[in-house]
Amino acid sequence: MGLLMGVYVIDYIDRVMIAVALPFIGGDLGLSKTGQGWLITVFALVYMVFQIPGGYLADRFGSRRLLLTSLLLWSVFTALSGLVWGFVALLVVRALFGAGQALFPGASFKAIAERTVPGSRATATGLMLSSNFLGAGLGPLVVAPVLLLLGWRHTFWAVALAGVLIALLLVTLLPRALPPHLTAAEPTVEPAAGPGDEPSGAAAGPGPAAYSMRTVLRTGAVWKFAALFCATNMLSYGMITWIPSYLLEVRGISLLQTGVAAAIPFLVMSLCVFLGGWLFDRYFAQRARIFAIPVLLAAAVMLVLMLRAETTVEFTLYQTLAMGIAGLSFMCVLGMPIRALPTAVVASGMGVVNMGGQLAGVLAPVVMGFLVDRFSYTAAFGFLIFSTVAAALIAMFVPQRPADFTMATEPGAKGAS
């Protein structure tokens, strides 16, 4: 878990780095806010598209190979991000960066599923994903002084070197997978049989051959969680992308102060994502909705108060509360599918779910950039209130417990009924 967390910290420092550097990149390249948003969106678009292939490859070739390949590719393209001199070239490099990094999430979910039992899987996943926001929180603190010292180009090179080092540690120290009988999930199975056949409830032990990418894509519950993750992830992507620029341009604080103010909400969210995973495994694995829906609505209320804040301190306080509260819901979104999906296709299934989450990364930066250009930052942050309320509504329709997570199987697979 420490190794996977280290990778995600580097990953999110990289994402925050370009957000903190956007005003400087925009100044060097003469970009509008919408153009700056596209630098984030082009990465997110390619990253989203490659989620399902990345999950499939992890199930096909194993987590270890995909983890190493992804880390090396994203280190190369991070370094290249600091070398390019034109907007189009930077767009191309960020797109290639997205393709390389997209191999990692499915492989990381696969690595967890192979090394944990279902009853502790949401806690483990929460621990791993909490490092996303740890990286997002540390990012401004690390990047702001390095940007001032080295400039944005050299900062990309420093992060690329860190990616190579963590790749070497990961491939050397990642432990072996647990025996399959310890890691097996127990979803309800909905067999793809002929007319007149009825689902028979709990799975009677279908083997790995009963599941494939085709069955994952035909499973409605997977797509529902993808939609839910899209709505919930708007908040983090929107905040990562536009908070640094907002604090610099509207609140008028220095770059170093911006780094501190931008870091606090993500550090709190990191703790809350881990806490949410533990709460899910301990108390809410069989009643996820009654936890997720009130939490998301409470986060939306904090966002409203954030928009009404008169001082920077008050703004950061409500932003922190909104993101911390929303972080508690993350494992209701991701803990359920990773607990219910069969280990043989867990990376493929989580690839679909994560694709939904990354659609938020495509939409939030450019939509909010457009709203800033056309209206104001208030309109842009209002978009996050709308998406958070939408997430609470979508949560009403996802499976409530693992037994409700029905999956299709390959026609004629033994044990399917």
Side-chain angles (χ1 to χ4, degrees), residues 88-102:
V88 174
L90 186 54
L91 278 178
V92 171
V93 169
R94 297 306 291 179
L96 294 172
F97 175 84
Q101 199 174 81

Side-chain angles (χ1 to χ4, degrees), residues 146-366:
V146 175
L147 273 172
L148 290 176
L149 180 65
L150 301 178
W152 65 270
R153 296 181 184 278
H154 291 81
T155 303
F156 277 106
W157 301 342
V159 173
L161 178 61
V164 172
L165 293 176
I166 195 70
L168 295 175
L169 288 174
L170 185 68
V171 73
T172 303
L173 301 176
L174 188 70
R176 293 178 179 271
L178 294 175
H181 72 275
L182 294 179
T183 62
E186 297 182 355
T188 301
V189 175
E190 184 178 345
D197 287 343
E198 296 291 337
S200 61
Y211 305 109
S212 68
M213 174 60 79
R214 181 169 62 175
T215 63
V216 169
L217 295 177
R218 291 171 54 239
T219 299
V222 172
W223 292 101
K224 290 178 182 178
F225 278 105
L228 178 58
F229 194 25
C230 177
T232 56
N233 220 22
M234 291 285 186
L235 179 61
S236 57
Y237 263 112
M239 294 294 190
I240 286 173
T241 305
W242 290 114
I243 284 293
S245 295
Y246 169 80
L247 294 174
L248 278 170
E249 296 168 8
V250 177
R251 297 290 176 171
I253 64 177
S254 71
L255 181 61
L256 291 177
Q257 290 174 319
T258 295
V260 174
I264 292 170
F266 286 100
L267 294 174
V268 171
M269 194 174 190
S270 174
L271 294 174
C272 290
V273 169
F274 170 65
L275 176 60
W278 180 80
L279 289 172
F280 177 85
D281 273 338
R282 185 66 183 263
Y283 301 109
F284 295 103
Q286 304 300 322
R287 44 186 176 176
R289 285 188 216 136
I290 66 170
F291 182 51
I293 294 172
V295 162
L296 289 167
L297 292 175
V301 171
M302 293 300 107
L303 289 172
V304 173
L305 295 175
M306 181 189 81
L307 284 185
R308 297 169 61 87
E310 296 183 358
T311 67
T312 302
V313 171
E314 189 179 358
F315 179 91
T316 301
L317 172 62
Y318 286 122
Q319 181 201 356
T320 301
L321 290 173
M323 297 183 69
I325 293 169
L328 294 173
S329 72
F330 251 61
M331 285 309 104
C332 292
V333 180
L334 297 176
M336 180 73 77
I338 199 172
R339 183 167 179 161
L341 283 163
T343 306
V345 291
V346 68
S348 300
M350 294 305 294
V352 175
V353 175
N354 203 38
M355 183 185 71
Q358 303 321 308
L359 178 59
V362 173
L363 296 176
V366 73

Side-chain angles (χ1 to χ4, degrees), residues 307 368 371-372 375-384:
L307 284 185
M368 292 179 68
L371 290 172
V372 172
F375 301 103
S376 65
Y377 276 103
T378 299
F381 292 133
F383 171 74
L384 299 182

